[in-house]
Amino acid sequence: MLNSNSQTLSILALHGPNLNLLGQREPGIYGSLTLPEINRLLEEEGVKLQAKLFPVQSNHEGVLVDTIHGALGKHQGILINAGAYTHTSVALRDAIAAVNLPTVEVHLSNIYRREDFRHHSYIAPVAIGQISGFGVQSYLLGLQALVDYLRVTN
Ligand code: DQA
């Protein structure tokens, strides 16, 4: 990677509501890949970056909060597509702030080109950064950026 730090990183890939329906859900907006296919591509990218991915999907806000809490001491970083909770959930934002793990926010679609209610993210202020609008590439770029950040800062 970028420096001498060559330990294998552990990354939580957290997928929020309705992302279990990717592939069949509004493919014109979200593309045709299923969530298992996206997780597979993330895993392959992780191999190149020496990072092990732990994917979790839930439609339930509390489960997502619990999963973020559980990342403490287990994972070094979080890659998150919070789906619609991006725009509504103070609880998810607070959970990320509470565990204080480096987090990258990703979206398949460009949330700023869509409805006004999607323009605000509660996650963005507690994330290292956000990648939005590149389909599955948003996830892969997000993973690269997260690993890069962890290698440089650790
Ligand atoms: C999304 C964008 C959100 O606005 C939406 O609610 C989703 C998916 C995306 O990946 O483009 O569920 O996070």
Side-chain angles (χ1 to χ4, degrees):
M1 255 314 289
L2 294 179
N3 68 9
S4 57
N5 186 345
S6 62
Q7 65 159 339
T8 297
L9 295 169
S10 175
I11 306 293
L12 172 65
L14 199 50
H15 308 283
N18 301 308
L19 296 172
N20 54 309
L21 294 183
L22 286 177
Q24 65 185 79
R25 174 192 181 203
E26 301 182 88
I29 296 174
Y30 299 117
S32 56
L33 290 183
T34 64
L35 191 57
E37 286 168 341
I38 289 175
N39 282 331
R40 178 78 195 275
L41 291 170
L42 274 174
E43 195 186 323
E44 285 171 11
E45 188 65 25
V47 170
K48 291 184 210 156
L49 300 169
Q50 227 186 315
K52 183 152 176 45
L53 271 293
F54 292 84
V56 174
Q57 189 275 331
S58 179
N59 296 319
H60 304 278
E61 191 174 16
V63 173
L64 294 167
V65 169
D66 287 343
T67 305
I68 291 167
H69 292 178
L72 252 191
K74 205 149 111 192
H75 305 297
Q76 276 92 51
I78 302 174
L79 183 70
I80 185 168
N81 182 351
Y85 287 141
T86 303
H87 319 297
T88 64
S89 181
V90 176
L92 275 186
R93 172 205 171 114
D94 285 355
I96 293 166
V99 299
N100 201 23
L101 285 169
T103 297
V104 171
E105 174 185 357
V106 299
H107 299 282
L108 293 154
S109 63
N110 181 348
I111 57 175
Y112 302 101
R113 288 185 70 170
R114 301 184 61 197
E115 303 95 324
D116 285 354
F117 66 84
R118 295 184 204 274
H119 295 181
H120 178 260
S121 166
Y122 280 102
I123 311 293
V126 292
I128 306 164
Q130 182 199 70
I131 300 175
S132 173
F134 297 99
V136 67
Q137 282 299 325
S138 292
Y139 282 92
L140 303 178
L141 292 167
L143 178 61
Q144 287 167 18
L146 179 57
V147 168
D148 202 65
Y149 178 91
L150 290 168
R151 299 262 183 235
V152 169
T153 57
N154 286 334

